[in-house]
Amino acid sequence: MKFEITSPVLTDRLVLRPMEPGDAEALHAYQSLPEVARFQFWEPRSLEEIRSKLTKWADMKCLDGEGTLAFAVEERKDGGVIGDVSLKVTNVEARQGTIGFTLNPQYQGRGFATEAGRALLRMGFEDLGLHRIFASCDAHNNASWGVMERLGMRREAHFREHALFKGGWDEEFYYAILEDEWREQQENSGFSGVNPAGNGDRRG
């Protein structure tokens, strides 16, 4: 499975594009916040840490087998970075993938995460040919699993106190959607929400 992001992915209100070194301060504006890091595996990040990680994140625009595509999310009307999302191929043979999303709290509650998630599902199923896409979140992260349900994903599992996480018991929800389920939803809704000119280039 080979894939390369050759142009930004455009939705009605957003631009999903590969990350760039110049995104450091915009990412730091929210990744440094305790309320954002609360449900993440990382702690609030310093600007120096983000600059260091961007050297890796900026290269996450090509796949040759399993791996991750990382995107900065911009609001089209002003071009500012409001979050980041990812699409990861976890198993090539079984065509499995997972999505993730983190938004600046100033832009939450406006449907941006759902809009970006729709673009990721479309890329995963149409461009990468995935069979199943899943996502997970802390069971107490109502905003996150709410996005998953709005994306038409179904809850497949609830892991109760299965691990220790940041000083307490961890509970996780797992959501997923199959390609056939996603295509049926598209037929029933007639929804696209993605500018075809913004799709990446599937190779192989």
Side-chain angles (χ1 to χ4, degrees), residues 66-88:
E66 296 174 2
T68 302
L69 298 171
F71 301 86
V73 180
E74 294 181 342
E75 193 175 6
R76 290 181 68 170
K77 71 177 184 179
D78 60 18
V81 173
I82 65 171
D84 60 275
V85 296
S86 64
L87 172 59
K88 180 178 181 179

Side-chain angles (χ1 to χ4, degrees), residues 45-58:
R45 287 170 166 157
S46 67
L47 183 58
E48 292 73 20
E49 182 181 3
I50 290 174
R51 283 174 173 158
S52 176
K53 289 185 175 294
L54 267 171
T55 61
K56 176 182 178 180
W57 294 341

